[in-house]
Short mmCIF file of all heavy atoms in Angstrom, two decimals:
data_model
loop_
_atom_site.label_atom_id
_atom_site.label_comp_id
_atom_site.label_asym_id
_atom_site.label_seq_id
_atom_site.Cartn_x
_atom_site.Cartn_y
_atom_site.Cartn_z
N GLU A 241 66.89 24.17 -46.88
CA GLU A 241 66.24 23.19 -47.77
C GLU A 241 66.07 21.83 -47.06
O GLU A 241 65.07 21.15 -47.23
CB GLU A 241 67.12 23.04 -49.02
CG GLU A 241 66.52 22.23 -50.13
CD GLU A 241 67.43 22.28 -51.38
OE1 GLU A 241 68.55 22.85 -51.33
OE2 GLU A 241 67.00 21.74 -52.41
N ASP A 242 67.08 21.46 -46.25
CA ASP A 242 67.10 20.11 -45.65
C ASP A 242 66.55 20.07 -44.22
O ASP A 242 66.53 19.00 -43.61
CB ASP A 242 68.54 19.59 -45.63
CG ASP A 242 69.10 19.37 -47.03
OD1 ASP A 242 68.30 19.40 -47.99
OD2 ASP A 242 70.32 19.18 -47.16
N SER A 243 66.14 21.21 -43.68
CA SER A 243 65.78 21.26 -42.25
C SER A 243 64.36 20.77 -41.99
O SER A 243 63.40 21.25 -42.59
CB SER A 243 65.91 22.71 -41.75
OG SER A 243 65.19 22.89 -40.56
N ASP A 244 64.23 19.84 -41.04
CA ASP A 244 62.89 19.37 -40.64
C ASP A 244 62.12 20.48 -39.91
O ASP A 244 60.90 20.59 -40.03
CB ASP A 244 63.00 18.15 -39.73
CG ASP A 244 63.52 16.94 -40.50
OD1 ASP A 244 63.39 16.92 -41.74
OD2 ASP A 244 64.08 16.03 -39.85
N LEU A 245 62.85 21.30 -39.14
CA LEU A 245 62.18 22.40 -38.42
C LEU A 245 61.58 23.40 -39.41
O LEU A 245 60.47 23.89 -39.22
CB LEU A 245 63.18 23.13 -37.51
CG LEU A 245 63.49 22.50 -36.16
CD1 LEU A 245 64.50 23.36 -35.42
CD2 LEU A 245 62.22 22.33 -35.33
N VAL A 246 62.34 23.70 -40.47
CA VAL A 246 61.82 24.62 -41.49
C VAL A 246 60.62 24.00 -42.20
O VAL A 246 59.59 24.66 -42.40
CB VAL A 246 62.94 24.98 -42.51
CG1 VAL A 246 62.35 25.73 -43.70
CG2 VAL A 246 64.02 25.82 -41.83
N ALA A 247 60.73 22.72 -42.53
CA ALA A 247 59.61 22.05 -43.23
C ALA A 247 58.34 22.12 -42.39
O ALA A 247 57.24 22.32 -42.91
CB ALA A 247 59.99 20.60 -43.51
N LYS A 248 58.49 21.99 -41.06
CA LYS A 248 57.32 21.98 -40.18
C LYS A 248 56.78 23.39 -39.92
O LYS A 248 55.57 23.62 -39.96
CB LYS A 248 57.71 21.31 -38.86
CG LYS A 248 56.57 21.19 -37.88
CD LYS A 248 56.96 20.36 -36.68
CE LYS A 248 55.80 20.31 -35.70
NZ LYS A 248 56.22 19.87 -34.39
N HIS A 249 57.70 24.33 -39.67
CA HIS A 249 57.25 25.64 -39.16
C HIS A 249 57.27 26.77 -40.19
O HIS A 249 56.70 27.83 -39.96
CB HIS A 249 58.11 26.04 -37.96
CG HIS A 249 57.98 25.10 -36.80
ND1 HIS A 249 56.77 24.86 -36.17
CD2 HIS A 249 58.89 24.31 -36.17
CE1 HIS A 249 56.94 23.97 -35.20
NE2 HIS A 249 58.22 23.63 -35.19
N ALA A 250 57.98 26.55 -41.30
CA ALA A 250 58.00 27.59 -42.36
C ALA A 250 58.11 26.89 -43.73
O ALA A 250 59.10 27.07 -44.45
CB ALA A 250 59.17 28.55 -42.14
N PRO A 251 57.09 26.09 -44.07
CA PRO A 251 57.20 25.27 -45.29
C PRO A 251 57.39 26.09 -46.56
O PRO A 251 57.92 25.58 -47.55
CB PRO A 251 55.88 24.48 -45.31
CG PRO A 251 54.97 25.18 -44.37
CD PRO A 251 55.81 25.86 -43.35
N LEU A 252 57.00 27.37 -46.53
CA LEU A 252 57.22 28.23 -47.70
C LEU A 252 58.73 28.27 -48.04
O LEU A 252 59.11 28.24 -49.22
CB LEU A 252 56.72 29.65 -47.42
CG LEU A 252 56.94 30.66 -48.54
CD1 LEU A 252 55.94 30.44 -49.67
CD2 LEU A 252 56.83 32.09 -48.02
N LEU A 253 59.57 28.32 -47.00
CA LEU A 253 61.02 28.42 -47.24
C LEU A 253 61.55 27.13 -47.86
O LEU A 253 62.42 27.17 -48.75
CB LEU A 253 61.77 28.71 -45.93
CG LEU A 253 61.41 30.00 -45.21
CD1 LEU A 253 62.28 30.16 -43.96
CD2 LEU A 253 61.59 31.20 -46.13
N LYS A 254 61.02 26.01 -47.41
CA LYS A 254 61.48 24.73 -47.99
C LYS A 254 61.11 24.66 -49.47
O LYS A 254 61.88 24.18 -50.30
CB LYS A 254 60.86 23.56 -47.22
CG LYS A 254 61.44 22.23 -47.66
CD LYS A 254 60.98 21.09 -46.80
CE LYS A 254 61.48 19.76 -47.33
NZ LYS A 254 62.92 19.58 -47.18
N ALA A 255 59.92 25.17 -49.78
CA ALA A 255 59.48 25.15 -51.19
C ALA A 255 60.32 26.10 -52.04
O ALA A 255 60.58 25.83 -53.22
CB ALA A 255 58.00 25.54 -51.26
N ALA A 256 60.76 27.20 -51.45
CA ALA A 256 61.50 28.21 -52.22
C ALA A 256 62.97 27.84 -52.45
O ALA A 256 63.55 28.17 -53.48
CB ALA A 256 61.41 29.56 -51.50
N ALA A 257 63.56 27.16 -51.46
CA ALA A 257 65.02 26.94 -51.47
C ALA A 257 65.55 26.33 -52.78
O ALA A 257 66.56 26.81 -53.32
CB ALA A 257 65.43 26.10 -50.27
N PRO A 258 64.91 25.30 -53.33
CA PRO A 258 65.48 24.68 -54.54
C PRO A 258 65.53 25.63 -55.74
O PRO A 258 66.22 25.33 -56.72
CB PRO A 258 64.52 23.52 -54.82
CG PRO A 258 63.78 23.29 -53.56
CD PRO A 258 63.71 24.60 -52.86
N HIS A 259 64.83 26.74 -55.66
CA HIS A 259 64.85 27.70 -56.78
C HIS A 259 66.08 28.61 -56.74
O HIS A 259 66.32 29.37 -57.68
CB HIS A 259 63.58 28.56 -56.77
CG HIS A 259 62.34 27.76 -57.02
ND1 HIS A 259 61.85 27.52 -58.29
CD2 HIS A 259 61.49 27.13 -56.17
CE1 HIS A 259 60.76 26.78 -58.20
NE2 HIS A 259 60.52 26.53 -56.92
N ILE A 260 66.82 28.59 -55.64
CA ILE A 260 68.00 29.46 -55.54
C ILE A 260 69.17 28.77 -56.24
O ILE A 260 69.70 27.76 -55.75
CB ILE A 260 68.37 29.74 -54.07
CG1 ILE A 260 67.20 30.40 -53.35
CG2 ILE A 260 69.62 30.61 -53.99
CD1 ILE A 260 67.42 30.63 -51.87
N ALA A 261 69.55 29.28 -57.36
CA ALA A 261 70.75 28.82 -58.08
C ALA A 261 70.80 27.29 -58.16
O ALA A 261 69.81 26.65 -58.52
CB ALA A 261 71.99 29.40 -57.42
N HIS A 262 71.95 26.73 -57.82
CA HIS A 262 72.16 25.28 -57.85
C HIS A 262 72.74 24.85 -56.51
O HIS A 262 73.23 25.67 -55.75
CB HIS A 262 73.08 24.91 -59.02
CG HIS A 262 72.51 25.37 -60.32
ND1 HIS A 262 71.48 24.72 -60.96
CD2 HIS A 262 72.77 26.48 -61.05
CE1 HIS A 262 71.15 25.39 -62.05
NE2 HIS A 262 71.90 26.46 -62.13
N ARG A 263 72.71 23.54 -56.27
CA ARG A 263 73.09 23.02 -54.94
C ARG A 263 74.48 23.49 -54.51
O ARG A 263 74.69 23.82 -53.35
CB ARG A 263 72.98 21.49 -54.97
CG ARG A 263 73.18 20.82 -53.64
CD ARG A 263 71.92 20.79 -52.78
NE ARG A 263 72.17 20.01 -51.56
CZ ARG A 263 71.28 19.79 -50.61
NH1 ARG A 263 70.06 20.27 -50.70
NH2 ARG A 263 71.58 19.07 -49.57
N ALA A 264 75.44 23.56 -55.43
CA ALA A 264 76.80 23.96 -55.05
C ALA A 264 76.79 25.38 -54.48
O ALA A 264 77.51 25.67 -53.51
CB ALA A 264 77.73 23.87 -56.25
#
Side-chain angles (χ1 to χ4, degrees):
E241 188 174 5
D242 294 348
S243 161
D244 291 338
L245 279 179
V246 170
K248 182 172 178 197
H249 297 300
L252 178 76
L253 299 182
K254 188 173 175 69
H259 295 272
I260 301 176
H262 302 282
R263 187 83 175 181

